[in-house]
Amino acid sequence: MTGDVDVTSVLQGLEAPVAVVSAKQWEILFENGRFFQLFPPVGEGTDLLSTRIADLPAERVTDRLERGRTYALETTAVGAGTRQVPVRLTFRAARNDTIDVIVVEGQDTSKEQEIQYMLDSYSTLAERHARDLEKEKERVERLLLNLMPRSVLEELKDYGTTTPQRFDEASILMLDFVGFTSMAISHDPGTVITELNDIFSAFDRIVEMLNCERLKTIGDAYIAISGVPEPAPEHAHALARVALRMRRYLERRNTAHAQAWHARFGLSTGPVIGSLVGIQKYVYDLFGPGVNMAARMEAVSEPMRITVSPSSYALLRDDFVFTERGEFDIKGFGPQQLYFLEGEVGVRRT
């Protein structure tokens, strides 16, 4: 009939593959050119769809259609030449009371898969960038923690600025090395700096172990603090133990190395102001009497001795062993009775 011819012509002209098969034998009753191109007959039984499509789950499709549903199958067609074409086939039943024929409609999913591949690639790239960004963030944070305490860094991250804080009582330890300038000139600079870095790294571990903070290093000078910016009830005790362990580390190191390093230590307790200074290069620093007195203690100390101010001595005298040094006229503070810190009560020095 004319109407039938028109329908067939329309189906043949479609770019999408279309076929009609019998519901029982899966015999191909009709297929347009595109379907034939994608699923060409090969060998015997070429009029059976189950032969044309090797991965066709016939029983599963039939079961789904008998329950009044459609079935979608993702498969691969031959395409032009040897090129593989991804195709999505949709199976629908055409029936009245019982299944008569099955209509198979295909869709070339090449573009869809290309888009999905691009999305997956973008997602993978985005995840990689996110991981790289997180690693870079962690690296920057580690660098910043070398310049400021964690609580100051957190405040800077949250508010973009920090507020100067006054601490009525904090302890400061300062040390530098005897004859460092002449050592740097007379020895190989690379070797000297490498050894200094090793020593400061060991000092960092001691400071961290006793819950103190390294404030900064200036040349061969090392400054550690306790009670800033986080309150620490026994700040003086913690920093006294740091000083004793640093000295003990140097003594042991000097017995195993040709180049001996001797440090002067100064320990004091007093009020300070902590603040982040600088705009392009941040530095967390302390100002005030506590810092000034610690600097004076280091300046008047002796090689491998820990000189302690009266303020620190008052907090430590019941738990540590001291030797009186006598009275010194300290610039900006007047006459002061100073002490050498020798050790901790009940702890035998080895």
Side-chain angles (χ1 to χ4, degrees), residues 238-306:
L239 216 49
R241 294 186 181 102
V242 166
L244 291 170
R245 282 165 174 77
M246 285 180 172
R247 184 175 67 180
R248 185 56 182 153
Y249 166 79
L250 288 177
E251 290 173 344
R252 291 182 174 180
R253 189 183 190 283
N254 288 341
T255 62
H257 289 73
Q259 177 62 54
W261 291 72
H262 298 96
R264 290 186 296 261
F265 298 81
L267 175 63
S268 186
T269 299
V272 296
I273 293 175
S275 178
L276 196 64
V277 294
I279 298 176
Q280 293 181 332
K281 295 183 179 181
Y282 291 118
V283 175
Y284 184 79
D285 212 344
L286 295 183
F287 311 89
V291 178
N292 295 339
M293 179 60 88
R296 303 287 190 273
M297 296 300 97
E298 183 273 324
V300 301
S301 193
E302 297 178 2
M304 300 301 284
R305 304 303 296 269
I306 305 167

Side-chain angles (χ1 to χ4, degrees), residues 54-264:
D55 57 348
L56 176 66
E59 293 183 3
R60 191 180 302 173
V61 175
T62 300
D63 180 68
R64 183 74 63 89
L65 297 182
E66 286 179 346
R67 289 187 280 122
R69 303 172 64 184
T70 61
Y71 188 90
L73 173 67
E74 302 288 342
T75 188
T76 302
V78 175
T82 59
R83 187 173 69 89
Q84 299 292 302
V85 178
V87 178
R88 180 182 299 114
L89 295 177
T90 303
F91 298 79
R92 293 184 175 83
R95 62 178 173 172
N96 291 322
D97 297 328
T98 59
I99 295 178
D100 186 15
V101 295
I102 299 171
V103 178
V104 185
E105 301 174 54
Q107 178 185 358
D108 185 339
T109 58
S110 299
K111 293 295 183 183
E112 182 179 320
Q113 290 196 9
E114 287 178 9
I115 293 173
Q116 186 61 47
Y117 175 77
M118 291 174 62
L119 290 174
D120 291 344
S121 298
Y122 176 79
S123 177
T124 301
L125 187 62
E127 290 176 2
R128 186 181 305 160
H129 284 332
R131 289 194 298 269
D132 292 344
L133 184 62
E134 186 63 27
K135 289 180 181 178
E136 182 64 16
K137 179 182 175 182
E138 292 174 357
R139 187 185 72 85
V140 171
E141 184 168 306
R142 287 195 299 269
L143 291 174
L144 289 174
L145 286 174
N146 287 327
L147 303 176
M148 64 191 76
R150 179 172 294 279
S151 61
V152 176
L153 176 59
E154 293 299 328
E155 183 182 1
L156 182 63
K157 288 163 55 179
D158 292 340
Y159 303 104
T161 185
T162 59
T163 303
Q165 291 180 282
R166 175 185 172 86
F167 302 90
D168 291 328
E169 196 171 79
S171 292
I172 301 93
L173 172 67
M174 291 191 180
L175 67 92
D176 73 352
F177 291 98
V178 179
F180 176 80
T181 301
S182 59
M183 185 192 308
I185 294 174
S186 60
H187 293 71
D188 174 57
T191 302
V192 172
I193 296 304
T194 297
E195 292 193 23
L196 181 64
N197 181 67
D198 290 343
I199 294 171
F200 280 176
S201 296
F203 287 178
D204 285 345
R205 291 192 291 271
I206 294 171
V207 167
E208 183 178 2
M209 179 179 65
L210 292 168
N211 297 316
C212 298
E213 292 270 2
R214 179 185 74 171
L215 180 63
K216 59 183 175 180
T217 61
I218 306 174
D220 65 317
Y222 189 102
I223 306 174
I225 56 177
S226 183
V228 179
E230 299 298 330
E234 293 197 340
H235 50 85
H237 288 67
L239 216 49
R241 294 186 181 102
V242 166
L244 291 170
R245 282 165 174 77
M246 285 180 172
R247 184 175 67 180
R248 185 56 182 153
Y249 166 79
L250 288 177
E251 290 173 344
R252 291 182 174 180
R253 189 183 190 283
N254 288 341
T255 62
H257 289 73
Q259 177 62 54
W261 291 72
H262 298 96
R264 290 186 296 261

